[in-house]
Amino acid sequence: MRSDLAAQLFGELLVNAAIIAAPLLICTLLVGLVVSVLQVVTQIQETSLTFIPKLIAAVLVLIVAGPWMLKRLAEYATRLIANIPNYL
């Protein structure tokens, strides 16, 4: 395997990983930001208050976007495995 091919495959892997993880990361970031603002406004400093809403949001995102994430990951893996003879 040539090094340029390995670098290209690794780059494609990183792009797919970022695209798949983006909905979950963005949602938990936004929920965390909203909860933090509410904590500052109400002066309630409870650690579980930030954890529980982010956990619920993450579960909801996985329920909604999970099939899309799994489909994208399966397509990438299928394409990668199918092209193994071309890589040699």
Side-chain angles (χ1 to χ4, degrees):
M1 178 182 289
R2 302 180 317 268
S3 62
D4 59 331
L5 179 61
Q8 178 187 358
L9 290 174
F10 187 68
E12 188 178 343
L13 170 74
L14 290 178
V15 168
N16 276 315
I19 290 171
I20 290 170
L24 186 64
L25 294 175
I26 291 170
C27 182
T28 54
L29 174 74
L30 292 176
V31 169
L33 183 66
V34 168
V35 170
S36 295
V37 168
L38 289 174
Q39 279 185 321
V40 168
V41 170
T42 60
Q43 295 182 351
I44 298 173
Q45 299 302 322
E46 179 64 33
T47 56
S48 65
L49 190 61
T50 60
F51 180 72
I52 301 300
K54 284 195 278 187
L55 183 64
I56 292 170
V59 168
L60 291 175
V61 167
L62 287 176
I63 289 171
V64 171
W68 170 80
M69 293 172 167
L70 188 59
K71 181 181 175 189
R72 180 152 181 127
L73 183 62
E75 287 172 355
Y76 172 73
T78 303
R79 190 173 61 249
L80 186 68
I81 292 170
N83 285 327
I84 287 176
N86 298 336
Y87 298 148
L88 301 177

